């Protein structure tokens, strides 16, 4: 089955700096890659996603890049703010797998004011 | 209006008891899921239903039994609760069969076994 590895497990940055979280996946048939943000005590919420026919997608301070050949995708957050502090999860799924998403183990991002 | 709602929010009970968690979504989605998030924050899928049909059944003890009376509801019943069942359980839903669709999560049910 699909295996998703996420790095780093913890990340601490100064406010205003950039943060990058990387994920690799094992199944070359995976074609949908969402990122979820989970604030402390809250539910995971989708922040951005990318499909395999696209190499990069941006939404304000957040961007995701996908390298299908290398089977990795990354989340980039620019001009980080304290409210970006949360656990971030990447996930991978494929069309033929009944919507099953395999999640990475999460990255705890701390943005220091 | 809460899109995916779970009840109860907190559940504290003794080992050996049987308990149920309920989930309802008002998004019109066809697919619903149960996830377990342990103390290390890992999110692991347990079950998925599409239009009341079980489509994902991960390696979960058979003490856990999901039930979907209709596509807007997915409940989770747990028999003979064990200490290791302590976790946060999230319900989620997505459009269609979920392929290539984002998942919408409920607020979670924090289960504590004494």
């Amino acid at each position: 089955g699909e295996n998703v590895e996420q790095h780093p497990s913890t990340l601490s940055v100064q406010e205003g700096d950039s943060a990058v979280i990387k994920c690799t996946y094992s199944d070359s048939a995976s074609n949908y890659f969402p990122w979820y943000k989970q604030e402390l005590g809250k539910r995971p919420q989708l922040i951005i996603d990318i499909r395999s026919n696209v190499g990069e997608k941006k939404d304000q301070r957040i961007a995701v890049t996908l390298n299908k050949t290398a089977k990795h995708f990354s989340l980039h957050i620019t001009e980080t703010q304290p409210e970006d502090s949360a656990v971030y999860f990447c996930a991978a799924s494929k069309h033929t797998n009944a919507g099953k998403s395999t999640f990475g183990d999460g990255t705890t991002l701390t943005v220091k004011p | 209006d809460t899109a995916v709602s779970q009840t109860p929010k907190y559940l504290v009970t003794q080992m050996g008891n049987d308990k149920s968690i309920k989930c309802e979504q008002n998004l019109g989605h066809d697919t619903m899921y149960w996830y377990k998030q342990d103390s290390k924050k890992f999110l692991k899928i347990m079950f998925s239903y599409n239009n009341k049909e079980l489509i994902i059944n991960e390696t979960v003890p058979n003490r856990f039994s999901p039930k979907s009376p209709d596509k807007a509801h997915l409940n989770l019943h747990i028999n003979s609760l064990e200490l290791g069942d302590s976790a946060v359980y999230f319900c989620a839903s997505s459009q269609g069969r979920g392929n290539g669709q984002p998942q919408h999560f409920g607020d979670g049910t924090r289960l504590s076994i004494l």
Side-chain angles (χ1 to χ4, degrees):
Chain A
E2 174 72 280
N3 182 46
V4 176
E5 293 190 0
Q6 183 171 346
H7 298 281
S9 55
T10 60
L11 180 59
S12 181
V13 300
Q14 284 297 130
E15 183 176 359
D17 287 351
S18 295
V20 180
I21 302 170
K22 299 181 179 182
C23 288
T24 60
Y25 59 99
S26 60
D27 190 340
S28 56
S30 289
N31 59 2
Y32 176 64
F33 307 93
W35 284 89
Y36 295 87
K37 175 184 180 183
Q38 185 178 25
E39 295 177 6
L40 189 62
K42 301 277 181 74
R43 58 191 168 94
Q45 288 189 275
L46 179 79
I47 54 171
I48 196 167
D49 56 9
I50 193 167
R51 299 181 193 278
S52 58
N53 58 347
V54 175
E56 183 175 359
K57 185 176 178 181
K58 270 188 174 181
D59 183 2
Q60 299 182 349
R61 297 185 297 108
I62 292 172
V64 57
T65 58
L66 171 65
N67 183 327
K68 282 193 298 182
T69 304
K71 290 190 282 189
H72 67 71
F73 55 113
S74 300
L75 178 71
H76 304 254
I77 307 174
T78 58
E79 300 170 26
T80 53
Q81 301 165 2
E83 50 266 38
D84 294 330
S85 296
V87 179
Y88 291 80
F89 292 96
C90 64
S93 68
K94 61 184 179 181
H95 180 71
T96 56
N97 207 11
K100 177 183 172 182
S101 286
T102 300
F103 283 78
D105 287 343
T107 296
T108 301
L109 173 64
T110 303
V111 180
K112 298 177 183 177
Chain B
D1 281 343
T2 304
V4 181
S5 57
Q6 296 178 227
T7 54
K9 193 171 175 65
Y10 299 97
L11 192 47
V12 181
T13 189
Q14 301 272 4
M15 212 163 49
N17 283 350
D18 303 338
K19 289 293 177 186
S20 292
I21 307 171
K22 294 186 176 182
C23 180
E24 175 182 2
Q25 54 94 5
N26 63 5
L27 296 167
H29 288 168
D30 292 320
T31 302
M32 296 184 72
Y33 311 80
W34 277 112
Y35 285 88
K36 179 180 180 181
Q37 186 171 47
D38 61 20
S39 57
K40 294 183 179 179
K41 304 295 184 187
F42 300 152
L43 263 175
K44 298 299 180 192
I45 188 156
M46 301 173 69
F47 303 103
S48 174
Y49 272 75
N50 175 261
N51 272 322
K52 303 191 294 177
E53 176 193 354
L54 180 66
I55 55 173
I56 296 174
N57 185 356
E58 292 296 285
T59 308
V60 175
N62 57 15
R63 298 182 295 105
F64 290 79
S65 51
K67 280 192 172 51
S68 182
D70 55 62
K71 74 173 193 176
H73 295 83
L74 180 61
N75 304 323
L76 184 65
H77 188 76
I78 316 170
N79 289 328
S80 303
L81 281 157
E82 300 178 358
L83 289 174
D85 297 332
S86 294
V88 180
Y89 291 84
F90 284 100
C91 176
S93 71
S94 61
Q95 284 183 329
R97 281 183 69 84
N99 302 323
Q101 299 294 332
Q103 295 182 15
H104 299 252
F105 287 82
D107 288 335
T109 296
R110 183 173 295 275
L111 174 62
S112 300
I113 309 301
L114 304 177

